[in-house]
Amino acid sequence: MPDFRTDALVVGAGAVGLACARALALRRQQVVVLEAADAIGQGVSSRNSEVLHAGIYYPTGSLKARLCVAGNALIREYLTGRGIALNPCGKLVVATSVDEVPKLEALHAQAKANDVPQVEWITGAQARVLEPALRAEAAMLCGTSAVFDSHGYMLGMRGDIEDAGGSIALRTPFERASRDPDGFVVQCGGAEPVSIGCRLLVLAAGLGAQAVASGVEGFPAALIPQRHLAKGSYFALQGKAPFARLIYPLPVHGSLGTHYRRDIGGVARFGPDIEWVEGEDYGVDPARKPQFVEAIRRFWPDVNEDALVPDYAGIRPKIHGPGEPQPDFSIQFEGSHGLGGLAALFGIESPGLTSSMAIGAYVADGLLGTKG
Ligand SMILES: Cc1cc2nc3c(=O)[nH]c(=O)nc-3n(C[C@H](O)[C@H](O)[C@H](O)COP(=O)(O)OP(=O)(O)OC[C@H]3O[C@@H](n4cnc5c(N)ncnc54)[C@H](O)[C@@H]3O)c2cc1C
């Protein structure tokens, strides 16, 4: 017998777990969120670009494309309604040479196929009217791309969960789950180990997704995708921010490319780059600076490399290795793993933050049978 029961238990209090818990709580489920760390939003959700993506990059019809476009609109409305900081600055994706124009054209076609609103092709001259310091042969203006306060967003969702009668248990790691006739019994560790019975179980553990799924009794090992870690480092610019909009080069394999943003506090940052790693080390190697300078100079020739300082790093929870095709988000329900009441999420890398609120609705609807 578990120590107590709840309707739904969510593992992980990052943006995605909180959004799933909020969506379930708003659908009248009693929700408990388990978080191993001592605060919400300390995982991948605290080490990213805080960009609301438009949805231009992903294959049409994929979860990434659909949930990113939907999530962008949902989060934008949520932030505006709550007075949480949002800078609707828009973004320029640039072809920095004639050679890159066909790639930008393909991306523009992809954006159109994905029904991304407010996407406009502009010439290099038009781009320089918007951003005089920019080097661009041509550019795509994405009006719905934005920068926002992701921690304010997560705090807002925490408040919604608690207002709806749910709770968040910090310093409470998931250890394992077994089946019982009413659903699952989850064993939690920490200073006061407890067992919780639940009808619905959501695994949204970010970098811990594989470890958590392997602790669920009956979860088919063959359905747990291999974990790959791709680190992304950032450098900050000391001094005045050179552009008002987000500036992105063309994407490279596994990453959207080392881009520019002026964050919500006005600091100019460049990154993330991509480095395949074995462990979770968040140090930024100053020796990566020459590669940053080279990447930045392509779209901002005037960059002063002495003003660039190592900043922070994040790690992408990937489910593909270097050179392998980039898969969609993996969100598994009973139809794939056979365990009724379970949603297991893997590979929630970018645009996971943007998609989070739409992922929450998708998971809640999938578990409660209201859709899909
Ligand atoms: C460098 C970088 C830049 C990015 N930029 C963007 C961007 O600009 N826009 C965008 O949309 N997306 C971006 N992303 C992706 C985005 O950050 C992630 O998709 C998103 O934050 C994932 O949220 P999550 O809740 O799934 O994971 P997390 O935030 O990592 O949350 C998972 C939580 O689970 C907890 N946990 C793990 N194991 C256990 C356990 N056993 N028991 C209890 N709790 C556990 C962890 O402590 C963690 O808090 C970026 C990612 C990276 C790495």
Side-chain angles (χ1 to χ4, degrees):
M1 280 284 284
D3 294 324
F4 68 91
R5 296 200 71 89
T6 184
D7 294 327
L9 193 142
V10 176
V11 182
V16 174
L18 291 169
C20 292
R22 175 179 180 271
L24 287 163
L26 294 180
R27 288 160 178 75
R28 300 179 188 286
Q29 304 299 304
Q30 174 80 37
V31 180
V32 174
V33 182
L34 298 186
E35 172 51 57
D38 58 8
I40 66 165
Q42 299 299 298
V44 187
S45 299
S46 69
R47 297 175 164 276
N48 54 56
S49 300
E50 295 192 298
V51 170
L52 269 189
H53 287 299
I56 58 176
Y57 300 99
Y58 321 104
T60 308
S62 63
L63 288 176
K64 283 184 178 174
R66 286 155 45 205
L67 298 175
C68 182
V69 172
N72 179 304
L74 286 171
I75 296 182
R76 187 179 283 267
E77 191 186 339
Y78 184 80
L79 300 176
T80 308
R82 303 295 172 107
I84 300 167
L86 165 75
N87 177 6
C89 52
K91 137 170 152 177
L92 288 167
V93 187
V94 291
T96 56
S97 65
V98 177
D99 294 356
E100 288 184 346
V101 172
K103 278 192 194 158
L104 186 64
E105 283 170 347
L107 196 56
H108 184 245
Q110 184 68 65
K112 291 286 176 195
N114 289 359
D115 279 334
V116 178
Q118 298 178 44
V119 169
E120 192 187 337
W121 180 274
I122 59 175
T123 63
Q126 288 171 320
R128 274 186 300 282
V129 171
L130 299 175
E131 298 289 1
L134 189 67
R135 174 198 279 166
E137 197 58 42
M140 181 162 69
L141 181 60
C142 304
T144 60
S145 301
V147 176
F148 74 111
D149 170 7
S150 62
H151 283 279
Y153 165 59
M154 289 188 278
L155 282 171
M157 291 196 288
R158 176 188 185 148
D160 297 340
I161 294 163
E162 291 173 344
D163 286 351
S167 56
I168 296 170
L170 301 173
R171 296 176 216 89
T172 310
F174 167 100
E175 288 193 335
R176 62 185 177 280
S178 52
R179 292 295 268 167
D180 85 349
D182 299 318
F184 302 88
V185 176
V186 173
Q187 190 61 49
C188 313
E192 293 171 36
V194 66
S195 64
I196 306 174
C198 58
R199 204 165 36 77
L200 306 175
L201 178 59
V202 179
L203 312 181
L207 294 164
Q210 284 79 357
V212 168
S214 63
V216 176
E217 181 189 15
F219 196 97
L223 290 183
I224 302 178
Q226 197 184 334
R227 186 176 89 144
H228 296 273
L229 305 178
K231 181 171 173 178
S233 296
Y234 293 84
F235 277 70
L237 182 79
Q238 293 177 319
K240 190 173 176 293
F243 306 105
R245 291 163 188 78
L246 291 154
I247 309 292
Y248 277 58
L250 287 160
V252 296
H253 181 74
S255 156
L256 300 184
T258 297
H259 51 258
Y260 161 88
R261 81 180 192 279
R262 187 175 66 179
D263 75 8
I264 213 75
V267 176
R269 292 198 160 92
F270 296 91
D273 62 355
I274 182 161
E275 177 191 3
W276 296 89
V277 293
E278 295 299 324
E280 293 179 37
D281 163 18
Y282 292 102
V284 176
D285 183 356
R288 300 186 79 75
K289 189 162 162 179
Q291 296 157 48
F292 269 78
V293 172
E294 194 189 326
I296 296 164
R297 201 155 267 158
R298 292 175 68 85
F299 59 82
W300 184 30
D302 297 337
V303 59
N304 169 11
E305 58 186 277
D306 295 336
L308 288 175
V309 291
D311 197 8
Y312 68 98
I315 295 185
R316 303 167 179 89
K318 284 191 174 285
I319 51 175
H320 72 101
E324 292 171 5
Q326 194 156 345
D328 203 357
F329 293 146
S330 173
I331 303 181
Q332 302 180 15
F333 294 105
E334 182 177 4
S336 56
H337 51 59
L339 302 176
L342 177 69
L345 284 66
F346 302 96
I348 312 297
E349 54 166 324
S350 187
L353 182 62
T354 308
S355 308
S356 52
M357 210 168 248
I359 293 176
Y362 179 80
V363 164
D365 289 340
L367 286 177
L368 297 170
T370 37
K371 255 189 216 167

